[in-house]
Amino acid sequence: GRPPSVLPMGRTRLFARGCVRRFFMMKRRVLSIVMALALCLGMLPAPAWAEEDPPPQEDGGELVLDVSKLPEGTQTIVIFNNRVSLLYADYRVTDIAGNKIDDAITQGTAFDYLTLTGRAQGIGITVNADSADILVELAFSNLDITASDGNMALAVMDGTVDIAVMGDVSLSAPVTAIGVDGMRSTPTVRLGGPGSLTVRQTQGSDEHAMITHKSTVPLEVSIAGDVRMEAPNGYLFDNKRSSDIYPISISAENITLSDSTGSTSLDGVTLKASGTLSVNGQTPAAKVEKDGETTYLFEGDLDAAFGNSDNAGATFTLLANVERTNVLSIRVGCTLDLNGHTIHNTNNHCISIGGTGDVTIQGEGEVISEGGHALDASNTTTLKGGTFTSRGEGSGVYVADRTGTLI
């Protein structure tokens, strides 16, 4: 009979598959030592098992694997193409029914769709495939795992891996919790669904990232719940190799990011929160988008960014209300999207536009000055949105006679 940790999937499990597919229709490998050991085992001469050992299980279809019921000593859940096996601390390999096998690649338990659930310490998940074109469909349903030293909670080396996030999912590891390695291919990793995701680095250092992504295909997290990523002793993202930056996209209701640096690098990382967005306890004031890259700015970064010629042609989008006492001077041609937020100056003119290049202000929102002009335009300025209000001795919109043009 089949052990209690391996159950055929019922119709309700189709819900998870549907969720992840719908999410990615809408938005549409860091090498692990333990995986290398598993692959090496497949190259060794096959040992002769005792005659009483049962043959490897040849299941298929939809399976549930409860990680809390795995045999003692299990260190890694090894997924290759659409087969799953277990690698132990003493380097033994079995299928998920506990039958000894000598090749994790060809003799693991076959599946079409695999759900991992339960809670376990000292266990990681490694996913690999023959090519990036092979689709591996998984669901993490109320899954809580913490990998052992030298292991990752989730390591992906090849294939296209779609993971439905169901309920509360937590992936933790001493150093790197999630690793995607694109050294020999371009693996795709997409997590989507109605659940929430927590990723933690339990030890680490300032030389170690919690999430390592080295594939030209974006690492995509798109869920309806919350995302929390914590690296209290290290830093969050390593998505660079030489001059290349590999994209990471995170979309959720609420996003909370924290690490030990106090100045988290978000180069190549796109964040979209329908609720709150917090990075080391701060809410970014704006984001800058140019040439497919997104940079997040805090309030103290705004003046330098609006005067940086590298940002000519960029779009600045407000992500929070901004309170100022000094003038916000825009000296590069760009677009400012108020995005439903307010810029409020309690002492002076609010926005001054000069320098070179045309400026466009768009989106709903309000620009308010308590002590001067709400908008002082000294070059060509196009207004496609916004409300401009002066509560002091100034105008809502002031256009310089000789140099300013308002469209």
Side-chain angles (χ1 to χ4, degrees):
R2 184 173 295 163
S5 60
V6 185
L7 304 173
M9 294 283 286
R11 289 182 177 272
T12 57
R13 294 295 175 183
L14 294 176
F15 172 68
R17 175 182 286 179
C19 281
V20 74
R21 283 178 174 170
R22 285 194 298 273
F23 266 73
F24 291 115
M25 286 176 66
M26 291 171 64
K27 288 200 60 165
R28 252 327 254 185
R29 187 173 355 111
V30 171
L31 184 59
S32 170
I33 295 174
V34 294
M35 185 59 191
L37 290 170
L39 296 179
C40 287
L41 284 170
M43 300 172 64
L44 294 175
W49 303 118
E51 291 184 1
E52 61 270 25
D53 287 335
Q57 183 172 318
E58 290 294 339
D59 277 335
E62 301 179 359
L63 302 176
V64 176
L65 181 59
D66 188 337
V67 300
S68 66
K69 299 178 181 180
L70 294 178
E72 186 176 354
T74 302
Q75 191 172 72
T76 306
I77 299 168
V78 179
I79 300 169
F80 195 96
N81 295 340
N82 289 105
R83 290 182 177 271
V84 57
S85 59
L86 306 178
L87 175 67
Y88 297 80
D90 59 5
Y91 309 130
R92 290 180 298 115
V93 183
T94 71
D95 62 20
I96 60 174
N99 303 313
K100 296 177 182 178
I101 60 175
D102 42 285
D103 188 352
I105 297 175
T106 62
Q107 295 179 327
T109 306
F111 67 88
D112 293 324
Y113 190 82
L114 174 63
T115 294
L116 301 177
T117 189
R119 182 177 183 179
Q121 295 280 331
I123 291 178
I125 302 165
T126 299
V127 185
N128 204 347
D130 284 323
S131 75
D133 298 326
I134 294 178
L135 175 64
V136 180
E137 293 186 284
L138 308 173
F140 292 172
S141 179
N142 292 310
L143 178 69
D144 184 348
I145 62 171
T146 300
S148 58
D149 287 343
N151 208 354
M152 301 181 195
L154 175 63
V156 179
M157 286 177 270
D158 213 338
T160 295
V161 184
D162 280 356
I163 303 173
V165 177
M166 316 292 291
D168 294 325
V169 174
S170 178
L171 305 176
S172 303
V175 180
T176 301
I178 297 177
V180 182
D181 186 2
M183 284 293 289
R184 70 180 179 91
S185 185
T186 53
T188 298
V189 181
R190 302 180 294 220
L191 296 95
S196 295
L197 176 66
T198 298
V199 186
R200 290 190 178 97
Q201 183 187 68
T202 60
Q203 297 177 18
S205 72
D206 57 7
E207 297 179 354
H208 297 103
M210 186 184 69
I211 295 178
T212 303
H213 177 61
K214 302 296 175 68
S215 174
T216 56
V217 180
L219 169 58
E220 186 174 347
V221 179
S222 178
I223 60 178
D226 298 339
V227 167
R228 178 177 292 273
M229 297 183 173
E230 302 171 345
N233 301 308
Y235 62 102
L236 286 173
F237 305 111
D238 177 7
N239 60 330
K240 298 178 182 179
R241 182 182 286 137
S242 299
S243 61
D244 296 325
I245 298 177
Y246 302 101
I248 298 173
S249 172
I250 302 172
S251 175
E253 181 175 358
N254 302 302
I255 300 175
T256 304
L257 308 179
S258 62
D259 64 13
S260 66
T261 68
S263 56
T264 303
S265 173
L266 296 175
D267 289 349
V269 180
T270 300
L271 305 173
K272 183 178 181 181
S274 58
T276 61
L277 171 60
S278 174
V279 181
N280 287 319
Q282 300 183 64
T283 299
K287 64 179 179 180
V288 186
E289 296 171 289
K290 182 180 179 182
D291 298 332
E293 295 186 7
T294 302
T295 303
Y296 291 85
L297 304 173
F298 297 97
E299 274 199 40
D301 303 325
L302 292 176
D303 295 286
F306 277 113
N308 187 345
S309 60
D310 290 342
N311 289 326
T315 296
F316 291 76
T317 303
L318 290 186
L319 301 176
N321 295 332
V322 176
E323 293 283 331
R324 298 177 61 88
T325 58
N326 59 319
V327 181
L328 179 61
S329 297
I330 301 178
R331 293 293 179 263
V332 294
C334 63
T335 296
L336 170 60
D337 190 337
L338 297 174
N339 192 33
H341 296 288
T342 298
I343 305 176
H344 181 212
N345 192 304
T346 60
N347 187 58
N348 211 320
H349 303 319
C350 193
I351 297 177
S352 172
I353 298 177
T356 60
D358 299 344
V359 174
T360 297
I361 299 178
Q362 65 186 26
E364 296 183 4
E366 193 166 5
V367 178
I368 304 172
S369 172
E370 302 289 350
H373 306 310
L375 174 63
D376 182 354
S378 296
N379 64 352
T380 301
T381 303
T382 301
L383 300 184
K384 294 184 177 180
T387 301
F388 302 85
T389 303
S390 174
R391 296 173 179 170
E393 296 181 359
S395 303
V397 177
Y398 174 80
V399 182
D401 291 339
R402 296 183 179 180
T403 59
T405 301
L406 189 66
I407 300 176

